Amino acid sequence: MLFGYFDPGSGSLLAQMLVGGGAGLVVLARYVWDRMMHRP
Amino acid sequence: MTMDDGALERAAFVPEPGSYRDGSAQVFYVGQRVLRGLDKAAAAEWEEFKVTQFFSQSQQDGRLVRTRELAGTEAGQLDAPLQRWPKILEHERVPFISYPYEWSFSMLRDAALLHLDLLEEALHEGFTTKDGTAFNVQWMGVRPVFLDIVSFERYRPGAPWAGYRQFCQLFLFPLMLRAYRKVPFQPWLRGHLDGVSPDDFRKLLSWRDCFRVGVLQHVLLHALLERNVSETSQSTQARLSRTGLGKAELALDIVRSTVRHLRKTVQRLKFNAVSTSWTGYVQDNSYSVADRELKARFVQSTVTEIKPALTWDLGCNTGEYSRLCADVGGYVIAIDADVSCIDRLYLALRAEGRTNILPLVGDLADSSPNMGWRGRERKGLVERGRPDLCLCLALLHHLVISHSLPMEEVLQWLAELRCPLVLEFVDREDPLATRLLHGRQDGCPEYSRQNFERGLRQLFDIEQCAELTDSHRTLYRVRPRA
């Protein structure tokens, strides 16, 4: 995925999951889990 | 507004200096006309966008700037540097460009709601906006218009809204700053063209504010995530796709919910106008009924004779004389330093359905400068278009006495506008002037009618003069010497 002419910010992409209803929270939880499992 | 189907005049093209961020398009001016060149990718997006119901509907209701595509023959008449764009659009010209740091709270709020409404409707037809900046919105009087057509692009399945951060920084946080902290947002937006960052805004809030609508999600957790997620946006997007966002419908639902949540939050933000010395000015001033009528006649006869296309009403307060000018015709920029006055004026004009008065927050002692990249991205007041007539009614004493501006320099600045002026001089004996003079230890000796008239005669021809007999005030109609 390529973004436009500016960086939308990682934190801002994730913050949308918080206001994106139940589905957003599930995605965010799975994101956190994925990061913990694939820590560099 | 010029959007004729006729041939383009052979005028020099001038690129808009502020139109450089999105490399897929460029705005430029040819004479009075506003054109936008699109590259191949943007032209392909436009081809799909222009046939949507959303586009035709928002063109009809005027929420999206009126736009037409230049036919091949018309585009062929343009100068060679413009021929590199595969597609060229022409937009309706906005009478006067303004910036979010010159808008009142209700103006920024209405612009934010317009942005969200358009985004939500576009999403229904598979389009999104690639950004969320307040600079995409301009005004036709008190009607907000979304200008950036190329901001609309086909929604890519699985993508969050890229403009969310910009929207928060340039719309939501400034509105919250005013609504929750009672701090005017205008200096903050003028101080940083990208707006207020989530982490900076978090630091401005009190613990009580943490329980207010939208703060937890849009500010606190937003800032927390920004501070703690160090990976790139591309990596975050890729990981989100793996963890469920890759499902197109799910991602779209999340974007829609975000937009709905933002709208609900913005709608609940209130201005809580404070009473200032200016909001009660009309009741408190020293005019008799006869003087008010004389002043109105003086202004009206000037406007009727000059027929200005653009009038500036400096220190407009309730906009009484802006309305008078607008009734005769032309477009009026009503400027006042008091944010409460301008907010009230905006709401009143919106209720009246006026389309030819634009209220703006502006302090002449500290007016909007040229700023941004190379000092050209956002322009100062004068650089955006000189007026054909300028009203400067009962303002000079505030500039000279309260702001300690040298009277000669104020008159010099007014002369540099190169247009006729209606000036009102308030004598030292006037009760309001006396009150201001009490605040000056030196008594401001340069502020006298004698000095004023001497300075005036050096720079202007006095065409008409009228004394307001009951209130120690004199009106002058002057024209700067060539």
Side-chain angles (χ1 to χ4, degrees):
Chain A
M1 166 69 67
L2 290 173
F3 294 106
Y5 62 93
F6 65 96
D7 184 356
S10 299
S12 300
L13 295 178
L14 294 169
Q16 285 183 65
M17 303 303 122
L18 294 166
V19 286
L25 292 174
V26 171
V27 172
L28 186 62
R30 291 176 64 179
Y31 169 90
V32 173
W33 179 254
D34 189 76
R35 271 201 75 175
M36 284 164 62
M37 291 296 104
H38 300 94
R39 219 171 244 184
Chain B
M1 200 274 304
T2 312
M3 266 186 63
D4 307 325
D5 286 339
L8 277 159
E9 64 268 35
R10 298 291 299 178
F13 86 97
V14 181
E16 163 54 53
S19 170
Y20 67 88
R21 292 184 190 229
D22 184 354
S24 68
Q26 162 81 49
V27 174
F28 46 89
Y29 307 102
V30 177
Q32 285 300 302
R33 301 173 81 160
V34 184
L35 307 178
R36 190 191 296 264
L38 310 184
D39 72 4
K40 212 172 150 189
E45 296 274 10
W46 161 251
E47 288 298 329
E48 289 188 48
F49 181 62
K50 71 179 183 185
V51 295
T52 59
Q53 215 176 355
F54 163 71
F55 176 70
S56 54
Q57 181 59 46
S58 50
Q59 285 284 283
Q60 273 173 26
D61 57 32
R63 291 179 302 158
L64 203 54
V65 67
R66 273 183 58 205
T67 301
R68 72 181 186 97
E69 196 177 307
L70 254 59
T73 47
E74 273 184 288
Q77 296 165 9
L78 294 169
D79 286 344
L82 308 182
Q83 306 274 349
R84 76 180 181 91
W85 300 102
K87 187 78 72 185
I88 293 177
L89 308 180
E90 179 171 9
H91 298 306
E92 179 178 12
R93 194 180 180 96
V94 172
F96 194 84
I97 295 291
S98 62
Y99 302 123
Y101 45 84
E102 297 168 331
W103 302 346
S104 73
F105 177 89
S106 301
M107 292 172 82
L108 188 65
R109 188 172 173 272
D110 283 354
L113 292 173
L114 171 77
H115 204 306
L116 295 173
D117 287 346
L118 291 175
L119 174 57
E120 189 164 36
E121 289 167 38
L123 283 168
H124 282 297
E125 292 195 60
F127 279 82
T128 184
T129 59
K130 65 172 81 158
D131 50 21
T133 168
F135 290 96
N136 278 345
V137 179
Q138 284 295 329
W139 297 86
M140 301 279 189
V142 290
R143 181 168 61 82
V145 182
F146 193 93
L147 284 199
D148 191 8
I149 291 281
V150 292
S151 179
F152 291 94
E153 62 177 6
R154 181 61 75 183
Y155 176 75
R156 284 160 187 83
W161 180 33
Y164 174 69
R165 187 176 204 267
Q166 270 192 333
F167 186 90
C168 288
Q169 294 195 166
L170 284 155
F171 282 116
L172 186 64
F173 299 161
L175 289 170
M176 284 179 165
L177 186 65
R178 172 68 236 194
Y180 295 162
R181 304 302 303 155
K182 295 188 171 54
V183 175
F185 60 78
Q186 291 83 1
W188 295 74
L189 288 186
R190 197 170 97 169
H192 192 210
L193 289 176
D194 286 335
V196 190
S197 74
D199 204 40
D200 285 348
F201 187 54
R202 172 189 67 86
K203 292 169 191 158
L204 300 173
L205 296 173
S206 71
W207 66 269
R208 229 182 98 213
D209 296 322
C210 301
F211 302 99
R212 295 189 196 263
V213 176
V215 169
L216 178 68
Q217 305 93 322
H218 295 298
V219 186
L220 301 179
L221 294 171
H222 191 169
L224 183 80
L225 287 164
E226 285 237 324
R227 279 201 312 278
N228 292 294
V229 180
S230 53
E231 64 183 7
T232 65
S233 300
Q234 277 77 12
S235 307
T236 303
Q237 170 65 50
R239 201 189 290 271
L240 282 171
S241 293
R242 279 205 309 274
T243 57
L245 208 63
K247 292 171 191 158
E249 261 315 303
L250 185 90
L252 195 56
D253 275 349
I254 290 171
V255 176
R256 284 193 187 124
S257 297
T258 305
V259 174
R260 277 198 299 273
H261 198 278
L262 282 170
R263 185 194 287 106
K264 218 167 92 183
T265 307
V266 170
Q267 277 171 339
R268 291 177 70 171
L269 296 172
K270 297 280 181 274
F271 179 48
N272 298 325
V274 286
S275 287
T276 64
S277 54
W278 300 110
T279 51
Y281 181 77
V282 169
Q283 295 82 39
D284 300 342
N285 66 42
S286 52
Y287 297 103
S288 65
V289 174
D291 279 352
R292 277 188 75 162
E293 284 174 3
L294 177 63
K295 187 172 167 180
R297 277 201 307 277
F298 192 94
V299 173
Q300 192 157 32
S301 69
T302 303
V303 182
T304 309
E305 195 183 313
I306 294 173
K307 294 188 176 56
L310 180 66
T311 301
W312 286 5
D313 182 3
L314 305 176
C316 64
N317 200 264
T318 59
E320 183 179 350
Y321 300 97
S322 301
R323 286 181 177 87
L324 209 144
C325 294
D327 285 343
V328 177
Y331 197 75
V332 181
I333 310 298
I335 302 173
D336 204 290
D338 190 290
V339 289
S340 298
C341 273
I342 290 298
D343 205 65
R344 284 185 189 192
L345 178 59
Y346 168 73
L347 293 173
L349 293 171
R350 197 182 65 176
E352 291 165 28
R354 295 261 183 178
T355 54
N356 57 350
I357 303 176
L358 172 63
L360 293 179
V361 177
D363 182 353
L364 285 194
D366 181 23
S367 65
S368 303
N370 290 311
M371 56 197 282
W373 168 235
R374 298 172 80 192
R376 294 180 192 170
E377 194 177 349
R378 308 293 170 215
K379 301 179 186 75
L381 204 58
V382 178
E383 286 75 9
R384 278 175 268 164
R386 287 172 196 277
D388 305 303
L389 173 69
C390 180
L391 306 184
C392 191
L393 303 171
L395 179 67
L396 199 74
H397 58 304
H398 295 289
L399 298 175
V400 176
I401 303 172
S402 305
H403 291 281
S404 303
L405 301 183
M407 186 143 63
E408 273 177 32
E409 289 188 27
V410 176
L411 292 173
Q412 183 71 46
W413 183 82
L414 290 167
E416 285 165 10
L417 293 177
R418 299 199 293 266
C419 73
L421 296 165
V422 177
L423 278 161
E424 181 180 3
F425 184 81
V426 179
D427 280 333
R428 294 175 70 93
E429 293 73 33
D430 178 89
L432 290 177
T434 309
R435 202 189 302 165
L436 295 179
L437 284 165
H438 279 316
R440 286 282 298 262
Q441 205 174 13
D442 63 354
C444 194
E446 74 156 318
Y447 188 78
S448 68
R449 189 200 284 235
Q450 201 184 7
N451 273 351
F452 169 72
E453 290 195 344
R454 191 186 308 130
L456 203 61
R457 286 203 175 89
Q458 280 171 4
L459 297 163
F460 299 90
D461 290 322
I462 301 175
E463 294 182 337
Q464 206 182 336
C465 195
E467 203 141 335
L468 303 181
T469 45
D470 301 332
S471 48
H472 309 286
R473 292 159 185 245
T474 313
L475 295 167
Y476 300 85
R477 184 170 130 195
V478 299
R479 195 177 287 270
R481 295 220 177 94

